[in-house]
Amino acid sequence: MKALITARGITKQFGATRALDGVDLDINAGEVHVLLGENGAGKSTLVKVLAGIHSHDEGTIEGEASLAVIHQELALVPELSVAENLFLNRLPRKFGFVDRAEMRRRAPELLDRVGLNVDPNAKVKDLGIAQQQMIEIARALDKDAGVLILDEPTAVLTDTETDRLLQIMAQLRDNGVGLVFITHHLDEIQRIADRITVLRDGRSVGVLGPRATTQHMIELMVGRPIEEQYPRARQRRGKPLLRISNFTRRGVFRDINIEVHAGEVVGIAGLVGAGRTEVARAAFGVDDYDYGSVEVDGKPLPRNNVQAAIKAGLGLVPEDRKGQGLVLTATVGQNLELATLANRDEKRLHDIAGKLRIKGRVEQPVKELSGGNQQKVVIGKWLLADPKVLILDEPTRGVDVGAKVEIYELINRMTAQGRAVLLVSSDLPEVIGMSDRVVVMAHGRVAGELPKDATQDQVMALAVQEISA
Amino acid sequence: MTTISSSRRTPQKFIAENGALAGLLLLALVIAIMQPTFLSAQNLVNVGVQAAVIAIMAFGMTFVVVAGGIDLSVGSIAALAAMVGALTAGPVGLVVGALCGLVNGALISYGKLPPFIATLAMLSVARGLTLVISEGQPHETDAVVTFLGSNLAPMVPLPLLLMLLFFGITGLILTRTNLGRRMYAIGGNEEAAKLSGIDVRKQKLWIYALSGLFAAAAGLVLAGRLGSAGPQAAAGYELDAIAAVVIGGASLSGGVGRATGTLVGALVLAVLRNGLNLLQVPPFWQQVVIGAVIALAALLDSLRRR
């Protein structure tokens, strides 16, 4: 088999974290090579290194093949036509103007190769997400890419669309293209993979053949011993403080029932796109929902009303710290007081800043702080608001190990004070280690609930299960 | 908590944080050397009076810019308020100005229009209404409005005092009120503000209403100085107001801006106009110089932030 790209010993350091640590990867012609791993295992970093978006610190990459990456976020111009998008940046020209006739002539050939039957003159924004993805693939093929990397392309697709994509991938493989496929769905892997490289914590922990069992894949993926990095101090369970009932938003989540009691941490696990963040945001009143209800300490919350939610005693630490959690132009103090402007209390503010051990002055611009300290500021904002229930969405993403444990201690302190915590996290050891119960979501539904001593295999098995719609 | 030693106030840091002030002093120095009459008490008071109208308007604009928006309608609102004031009474003009701002805010908050478009529409509507109610004619102002543009005592013009009053109010609102703190939050990160329980839409109503109110006040001061309200009064002033805010170091992407910066920005424009007149630079060239100074100020600011 012809090797298109051979990567050896790839190492990539981001600040103090080693995102990739001596990873080997072979991409062969006519082969689908699956990259498997938890969120944060290093898959995306590896793809970015291969594509030349990131430079690597150590290791070698050899191979002549040109490479195209289909990212999860599509790189199409919605207002332009299908044909224009296909030839974006290298539009055929005649007398210095775009040669529309030539474009229209060549577009159907390309679309044929991915089996897409759409009008080349249609605007891209009028197409479905799956069709848009096919256009990206067609565009990559026109550049004669020898290697095609697909980064979680099926996360946004329906089952039939996924089937279609897998068919096209198989076709491309038969034509000698080398494919790298990133997905969390183990059943897809079993259908298409020729080889599976499993990444964990930036290392390649195993290369499996096409007949690998799900069990084996999960074991390799999560196989790390849980030590005392999750110092959960469990409390006696009190009265229910948060009750989410029959919560539904069409096409996003359905029939979600979650109850969190005083002194309790309930985790929500699941794959990216399972609808966890959407449930959290809707419960907090940021987004609307179709059916169901949210109660805080027995009091129903009006929909779409963040102010009422806060008043009732709910808080939300959003997943995107910089985009949603912080005002980066402001100081630490200004960020801390953001949720409590109506009754400011200088003394408590300094108190909280001290208790959180935020490394930085209250008057310092918050953007100068490290990720961990920034996250402590966002959490501190809510501690000042004194909530009964705090929803944490990916609270330790991009946070170093030391600050992680400090955040876990904060969670412990909150539940010791009789508050309730809803912990949304993609970090499996974390969500298992810090929760008293784990609710697993898949495809917008609750796939199951596991007790505190659940294993990662159990969680993953629920998270990747296919629920018939 | 660890403290960082650079928190001491050093001259370098002061200049870095007050680049506009340093620029203003340098500008004044150059003009004074070339034309010493610039420094006469009478002339300096004149500069203050000339700055007053733009400054008051720019203070209102500061709220909007800090909150991440823009208000193109302030010149027209000033004219409309002054005309309403001349035809009825001054306070009515203020109310009309605030109402115009409220409409801007409603279009932006609830109509989800971009501030540029909403206030551009108001620019046209308010100017048109001014022409309609005035029938295209200037109207004399009453004693109360005229008083706004007069001198309290020799060398003590009321517009100058009003400018300082509005400066104080602006500083107070920005730094000491919830509304002010929310402006910074909304302009700095609207999503974070929303997720922190700030009713962003309601706040924007007030912010644009304030801008309208300040523009109306500026319009009344202008009419008072001239003794009449003209249908084309304050045309194009919105651009000077925006320039003053930007020269003062505010960021058009929001979240940054101070009352002192805007005051300095308005003074820079006034000193420049006054100086160019004293130096007998032809008026056509004056426009070129003023434009160049605005670009220079913005450039320096963008370099400093890098």
Side-chain angles (χ1 to χ4, degrees):
Chain A
M1 208 175 305
K2 195 177 137 211
L4 295 173
I5 289 179
T6 312
R8 288 284 172 271
I10 302 298
T11 297
K12 176 71 193 174
Q13 192 98 14
F14 287 117
T17 41
R18 188 160 272 222
L20 291 175
D21 192 356
V23 174
D24 298 343
L25 188 76
D26 294 313
I27 305 173
N28 296 333
E31 194 180 70
V32 176
H33 195 149
V34 167
L35 278 182
L36 182 62
E38 291 177 359
N39 298 322
K43 296 167 304 203
S44 291
T45 312
L46 180 58
V47 166
K48 283 181 178 152
V49 166
L50 289 173
I53 297 169
H54 289 328
S55 60
H56 48 291
D57 301 326
E58 285 165 40
T60 57
I61 299 175
E62 280 166 19
E64 247 100 270
S66 69
L67 176 147
V69 185
I70 312 295
H71 294 283
Q72 222 176 341
E73 299 83 25
L74 298 176
L76 297 173
V77 186
E79 287 292 336
L80 291 184
S81 73
V82 170
E84 283 166 320
N85 269 286
L86 282 173
F87 301 111
L88 206 64
N89 216 8
R90 54 209 159 83
L91 292 165
R93 267 175 296 182
K94 204 176 191 176
F95 311 123
F97 292 100
V98 173
D99 186 351
R100 287 175 169 273
E102 168 76 4
M103 209 161 71
R104 270 193 289 265
R105 195 181 57 76
R106 275 170 53 194
E109 292 171 24
L110 273 177
L111 293 174
D112 263 1
R113 286 179 69 182
V114 291
L116 190 60
N117 184 21
V118 295
D119 177 6
N121 297 316
K123 279 192 179 176
V124 159
K125 67 167 183 188
D126 296 328
L127 303 182
I129 190 87
Q131 292 173 315
Q132 295 189 10
Q133 215 163 41
M134 294 301 169
I135 290 169
E136 278 227 47
I137 294 172
R139 179 163 77 183
L141 294 178
D142 186 51
K143 290 178 185 161
D144 282 323
V147 174
L148 192 60
I149 300 178
L150 300 121
D151 191 354
E152 289 195 54
T154 56
V156 290
L157 300 185
T158 64
D159 288 350
T160 26
E161 289 167 342
T162 300
D163 289 344
R164 182 92 200 97
L165 178 69
L166 293 183
Q167 272 172 30
I168 286 165
M169 285 172 61
Q171 234 174 63
L172 293 172
R173 167 176 62 190
D174 296 342
N175 293 338
V177 177
L179 291 116
V180 176
F181 181 37
I182 298 179
T183 180
H184 282 296
H185 298 278
L186 303 183
D187 60 311
E188 293 168 9
I189 296 176
Q190 288 178 320
R191 282 161 65 188
I192 189 99
D194 299 307
R195 223 149 30 118
I196 307 159
T197 292
V198 185
L199 292 181
R200 190 201 311 147
D201 296 334
R203 283 177 212 203
S204 163
V205 290
V207 180
L208 307 174
R211 269 179 289 281
T213 61
T214 345
Q215 187 60 31
H216 196 180
M217 288 189 251
I218 291 175
E219 268 174 24
L220 272 178
M221 228 160 100
V222 298
R224 114 186 82 186
I226 303 175
E227 295 153 33
E228 258 313 274
Q229 30 178 327
Y230 305 102
R232 172 79 186 121
R234 293 196 162 79
Q235 305 294 326
R236 278 247 321 262
R237 196 165 116 145
K239 60 180 175 175
L241 284 183
L242 175 69
R243 183 179 280 143
I244 297 173
S245 322
N246 304 321
F247 214 40
T248 300
R249 179 154 109 227
R250 279 187 212 97
V252 184
F253 50 79
R254 224 170 107 185
D255 291 331
I256 306 291
N257 289 289
I258 296 171
E259 220 180 59
V260 192
H261 294 248
E264 192 182 33
V265 178
V266 172
I268 303 189
L271 301 175
V272 172
R276 298 168 299 164
T277 295
E278 288 77 4
V279 168
R281 283 175 60 96
F284 188 53
V286 189
D287 303 325
D288 209 354
Y289 49 90
D290 295 318
Y291 311 105
S293 63
V294 184
E295 283 174 31
V296 172
D297 201 4
K299 239 178 58 194
L301 298 186
R303 62 177 58 203
N304 236 335
N305 190 334
V306 176
Q307 287 81 36
I310 293 175
K311 217 163 163 197
L314 196 57
L316 168 73
V317 173
E319 60 174 341
D320 179 359
R321 186 164 52 239
K322 287 185 177 167
Q324 304 172 331
L326 292 170
V327 179
L328 284 173
T329 47
T331 65
V332 169
Q334 288 162 350
N335 272 286
L336 280 172
E337 67 182 16
L338 216 51
T340 42
L341 279 173
N343 33 30
R344 289 163 89 181
D345 187 338
E346 256 340 275
K347 203 185 142 295
R348 268 197 74 210
L349 192 148
H350 281 88
D351 228 41
I352 293 270
K355 266 192 198 141
L356 289 170
R357 285 185 284 161
I358 295 169
K359 292 196 185 60
R361 291 164 297 120
V362 168
E363 318 79 51
Q364 196 174 356
V366 78
K367 65 176 165 218
E368 292 176 5
L369 268 53
S370 70
N373 282 297
Q374 287 183 346
Q375 190 66 305
K376 283 194 261 177
V377 171
V378 183
I379 296 176
K381 170 170 81 183
W382 289 113
L383 294 186
L384 270 172
D386 199 17
K388 292 177 183 139
V389 184
L390 190 58
I391 305 174
L392 301 164
D393 195 355
E394 307 289 359
T396 64
R397 184 184 280 172
V399 166
D400 60 88
V401 182
K404 263 188 191 176
V405 175
E406 285 184 62
I407 289 171
Y408 299 148
E409 294 294 357
L410 280 174
I411 293 176
N412 279 337
R413 212 175 310 155
M414 280 187 271
T415 52
Q417 291 162 347
R419 301 175 214 266
V421 172
L422 187 62
L423 173 65
V424 178
S425 175
S426 298
D427 185 334
L428 271 185
E430 166 179 297
V431 77
I432 293 170
M434 285 308 297
S435 304
D436 303 331
R437 285 183 288 137
V438 179
V439 171
V440 185
M441 281 185 68
H443 304 281
R445 308 249 215 135
V446 172
E449 189 182 310
L450 297 166
K452 63 175 189 283
D453 42 12
T455 64
Q456 298 187 25
D457 304 24
Q458 288 174 310
V459 174
M460 277 314 280
L462 283 174
V464 297
Q465 92 180 44
E466 298 296 323
I467 303 174
S468 50
Chain B
M1 274 194 297
T2 53
T3 353
I4 286 165
S5 56
S6 71
S7 68
R8 275 183 304 127
R9 289 197 164 268
T10 61
Q12 292 93 323
K13 193 166 182 238
F14 181 78
I15 289 173
E17 280 179 1
N18 296 277
L21 184 59
L24 175 65
L25 295 177
L26 188 71
L27 189 66
L29 185 71
V30 171
I31 293 171
I33 290 169
M34 292 172 77
Q35 182 53 271
T37 53
F38 171 77
L39 286 181
S40 73
Q42 182 60 51
N43 188 57
L44 288 179
V45 168
N46 276 347
V47 169
V49 172
Q50 283 165 4
V53 172
I54 293 295
I56 294 171
M57 209 178 256
F59 289 139
M61 182 75 71
T62 308
F63 302 133
V64 172
V65 169
V66 163
I70 191 102
D71 189 346
L72 299 177
S73 63
V74 288
S76 297
I77 291 179
L80 179 61
M83 192 57 75
V84 169
L87 295 174
T88 58
V92 184
L94 288 179
V95 172
V96 167
L99 283 177
C100 287
L102 217 52
V103 171
N104 277 337
L107 287 173
I108 292 160
S109 288
Y110 298 97
K112 297 200 164 46
L113 290 187
F116 192 98
I117 301 301
T119 60
L120 186 65
M122 182 57 76
L123 176 148
S124 185
V125 168
R127 179 65 64 186
L129 287 177
T130 312
L131 286 161
V132 169
I133 62 171
S134 68
E135 292 174 326
Q137 302 297 317
H139 290 264
E140 266 182 45
T141 52
D142 63 15
V144 178
V145 175
T146 311
F147 172 70
L148 293 177
S150 64
N151 284 5
L152 269 190
M155 302 291 283
V156 189
L158 198 52
L160 190 64
L161 298 182
L162 286 171
M163 175 175 80
L164 295 176
L165 175 69
F166 275 90
F167 166 64
I169 294 173
T170 304
L172 223 58
I173 290 178
L174 282 175
T175 59
R176 294 290 154 81
T177 66
N178 285 333
L179 179 60
R181 305 319 304 167
R182 286 176 186 143
M183 290 174 190
Y184 285 98
I186 292 169
N189 187 342
E190 191 166 325
E191 184 69 10
K194 198 170 124 193
L195 289 179
S196 298
I198 293 174
D199 189 339
V200 174
R201 290 188 295 186
K202 201 167 90 194
Q203 301 304 316
K204 281 188 179 171
L205 276 186
W206 296 125
I207 292 165
Y208 283 89
L210 263 181
S211 178
L213 180 69
F214 275 45
L220 288 172
V221 171
L222 177 66
R225 265 177 62 201
L226 301 172
S228 82
Q232 292 298 349
Y237 276 33
E238 58 278 351
L239 299 181
D240 271 14
I242 294 169
V245 172
V246 171
I247 292 174
S251 160
L252 282 184
S253 43
V256 182
R258 286 188 302 172
T260 43
T262 297
L263 178 65
V264 169
L267 288 175
V268 165
L269 289 176
V271 165
L272 200 58
R273 287 221 165 83
N274 177 271
L276 293 172
N277 275 332
L278 290 179
L279 296 173
Q280 294 181 323
V281 174
F284 295 170
W285 277 108
Q286 290 192 12
Q287 295 216 25
V288 175
V289 175
I290 291 170
V293 166
I294 293 172
L296 193 71
L299 261 179
L300 286 176
D301 196 53
S302 123
L303 283 177
R304 189 168 59 82
R305 275 174 215 281
R306 246 173 248 167

